[in-house]
Amino acid sequence: MDVIEAIYSRRSTRAFRAEPVPVDILESIMRAALQAPSWENTQPWAFAVIGGEAMKELKEAVLAMRMAGERPRMDLPLPRFQGPCLERAKDNSRRLLDELGISRSDPSGLADWRRRMSQFFDAPNAVILHLDSAFSQWSLLDAGLALENLMLAACHYGLGTCALAAGVIYPDLIKGLLGIPESRRIILGVAVGYPDLSSPGTRFRASREPLDRMVTWHGFPAGQE
């Protein structure tokens, strides 16, 4: 699979098969992630790759905190969108819930969906991205480049991924379980595994705005942009 094919093939996978990803493949996709460019080669990222008993323990601990009514207390606050960004987010959510057969007027169905998100959609493996507490906005940009490398490399090996804030809603818990220093900030989790192609959670694709709405051209003769 070449890079262009991977870009167009990648999607957020929301249902996984149970079989774990071999360690050598996980190593390969993490090496690809570490090849990302960064501001003055600062390489501000660090990653925790999770599987086996550690993954089981994390899922169980997160579920227990949710069941106990613990409120999320994320290291990186959730964004607040408005305008076209908010409308795109709402439209995507509506389409996804319709595809999954979850009614927006069904509190129990919505609660179960959020629970599944916090469980990395039952993926057998996950990657946690964390940064030093003194990170800058530029470091977040760099980390995003590394995550894109990771997800494209995963496509090459036939893996599915889904970037999830819901998987890191209890950062202190994650730090304690994985031995991550308190000085680090948990930024994002990524579910990793082999896609369950029978599930609508895997077949769904988010829409993309057309080129002429998102890109302007400058310095090109009329009709040649």
Side-chain angles (χ1 to χ4, degrees):
M1 178 180 291
D2 67 27
V3 66
I4 297 299
E5 184 181 359
I7 288 170
Y8 283 97
S9 298
R10 189 213 62 81
R11 66 184 68 187
S12 293
T13 299
R14 299 177 177 89
F16 295 87
R17 305 202 313 256
E19 64 187 281
V21 180
V23 173
D24 60 331
I25 293 180
L26 291 170
E27 286 183 352
S28 293
I29 67 174
M30 295 314 303
R31 290 182 192 279
L34 299 180
Q35 290 299 309
S38 60
W39 180 279
E40 294 191 345
N41 199 36
T42 47
Q43 303 175 63
W45 46 67
F47 300 92
V49 183
I50 315 171
E53 286 301 311
M55 189 71 178
K56 181 174 181 288
E57 185 179 7
L58 175 61
K59 290 177 180 177
E60 290 177 348
V62 169
L63 181 59
M65 293 188 74
R66 284 181 58 86
M67 296 297 290
E70 291 283 344
R71 294 178 62 83
R73 41 184 182 271
M74 298 173 66
D75 281 344
L76 185 66
L78 291 174
R80 294 183 179 275
F81 294 110
Q82 57 185 354
C85 291
L86 179 59
E87 290 306 311
R88 283 193 286 268
K90 288 181 176 180
D91 177 69
N92 188 73
S93 178
R94 284 191 293 266
R95 290 178 55 240
L96 176 58
L97 291 176
D98 288 345
E99 183 75 17
L100 295 168
I102 301 173
S103 171
R104 289 176 286 279
S105 61
D106 176 12
S108 62
L110 292 171
D112 183 64
W113 177 243
R114 297 187 189 100
R115 178 197 63 78
R116 289 166 59 192
M117 281 194 285
S118 73
Q119 299 287 285
F120 293 89
F121 294 118
D122 294 323
N125 297 99
V127 177
I128 304 292
L129 164 69
H130 54 99
L131 302 175
D132 186 87
S133 58
F135 71 84
S136 73
Q137 291 175 319
W138 290 103
S139 297
L140 286 175
L141 173 62
D142 296 339
L145 296 172
L147 286 173
E148 180 74 354
N149 273 17
L150 185 160
M151 291 187 280
L152 294 180
C155 282
H156 173 78
Y157 291 101
L159 298 171
T161 57
C162 189
L164 288 164
V168 296
I169 55 176
Y170 303 121
D172 292 340
L173 171 69
I174 293 172
K175 292 173 192 176
L177 289 175
L178 303 182
I180 297 173
E182 179 56 36
S183 61
R184 308 293 295 181
R185 293 294 175 264
I186 305 296
I187 305 300
L188 197 67
V190 181
V192 182
Y194 293 100
D196 177 1
L197 300 178
S198 68
S199 169
T202 293
R203 297 193 297 269
F204 177 81
R205 291 208 76 152
S207 61
R208 290 293 184 269
E209 294 288 351
L211 185 75
D212 58 4
R213 187 175 297 177
M214 305 297 282
V215 179
T216 59
W217 302 81
H218 308 271
F220 296 90
Q224 294 186 19
E225 66 277 5

